[in-house]
Amino acid sequence: PKYDHVGVGTGTVVNRPAIKQYQKAIRDRAGDKIAGGKIIKVEAHPIPEHYRPRRIQGRIALVGDAAGYVTKCSGEGIYFAAKSGRMAAEEIVKLMKGGTRLPAQAEVEETYLKKYDKAYGPTYAVLDVLQKVFYSSNGAREAFVELCDSKYVQQVTFDSYLYKKVQGNNPLDDLKLLGETIGCSIKGYSVAKADAVCSNPVESQKRI
């Protein structure tokens, strides 16, 4: 909600050409709540959820969205944009030795990229797996919703989002969570409605 209007975000990872259908469905669902209103502006931007194949080229170093540092599942990008920008700048300044030299591409890759990937690579990997496992079908999403009732899942999720790194690592609770995941998945697939037929299967396979 804004001062005099409402901003509504709509996203998809499997059928980008159908985004207008999803937007219309949201308006239809709102029904009388938006009666008499008008659409002020419609805009769309791709969210880069994958590392760019080449993040360093010559004297150019990519950071933030340009480098593909948006996390899956949450879509978090502001922190990683600021953090990667700072890490890149600090490493380049060190390599320049008071402005007496220009760093080579290999040097920036060995410092900035290596340190960033070591610090946050596991976070991207875990969120990638979570998205593929729990966001791929209605049954999986139902299972994920039920799992979120677990206090351990809530705590790990909160801590991981707060510190931007994967938290938890309690072997006993992790083992218990595995059992709960299997149970919730079985239940989720048994009660979930069948997924609607995707009108763009080629795009779906490419993104999943």
Side-chain angles (χ1 to χ4, degrees):
K2 308 294 182 180
Y3 172 70
D4 59 355
H5 66 281
V6 174
V8 180
T10 311
T12 176
V13 295
V14 298
N15 195 4
R16 287 177 290 179
I19 193 70
K20 291 184 178 179
Q21 297 176 28
Y22 304 148
Q23 292 170 342
K24 181 179 182 301
I26 290 177
R27 292 194 294 271
D28 291 344
R29 186 173 182 178
D32 295 338
K33 296 178 181 179
I34 59 173
K38 65 178 182 179
I39 300 174
I40 301 174
K41 184 179 182 181
V42 177
E43 58 183 354
H45 305 282
I47 300 177
E49 293 183 331
H50 302 275
Y51 277 12
R52 295 298 187 220
R54 183 171 295 174
R55 290 170 283 164
I56 306 290
Q57 177 63 46
R59 294 171 60 186
I60 299 173
L62 300 182
V63 300
D65 285 8
Y69 289 156
V70 175
T71 59
K72 294 187 177 182
C73 293
S74 67
E76 168 70 34
I78 296 176
Y79 172 85
F80 295 103
K83 187 66 174 181
S84 61
R86 181 169 185 169
M87 290 178 71
E90 289 176 343
E91 296 304 325
I92 291 172
V93 167
K94 289 179 185 177
L95 291 168
M96 291 180 68
K97 295 181 179 180
T100 60
R101 63 185 297 273
L102 290 176
Q105 176 178 327
E107 292 177 309
V108 181
E109 290 174 341
E110 283 297 310
T111 53
Y112 153 53
L113 285 191
K114 205 166 190 177
K115 290 182 178 180
Y116 186 87
D117 290 347
K118 181 179 180 180
Y120 301 107
T123 299
Y124 289 100
V126 168
L127 291 177
D128 183 33
V129 171
L130 285 177
Q131 180 163 295
K132 288 177 178 177
V133 172
F134 291 113
Y135 287 27
S136 58
S137 68
N138 284 338
R141 285 185 283 272
E142 290 288 346
F144 186 61
V145 169
E146 184 163 343
L147 272 178
C148 288
D149 191 47
S150 163
K151 289 185 178 180
Y152 180 63
V153 171
Q154 294 173 18
Q155 187 65 55
V156 170
T157 301
F158 178 81
D159 290 345
S160 298
Y161 188 82
L162 179 64
Y163 299 109
K164 309 304 179 187
K165 293 183 180 180
V166 179
Q167 305 294 311
N169 302 320
N170 183 317
L172 185 60
D173 285 335
D174 288 341
L175 186 61
K176 181 180 178 182
L177 179 59
L178 176 60
E180 291 177 349
T181 300
I182 295 174
C184 290
S185 297
I186 294 174
K187 182 179 178 181
Y189 278 100
S190 67
V191 302
K193 295 180 180 179
D195 289 353
V197 178
C198 180
S199 62
N200 193 351
V202 174
E203 180 70 17
S204 175
Q205 291 301 317
K206 185 193 306 181
R207 299 292 291 180
I208 295 180

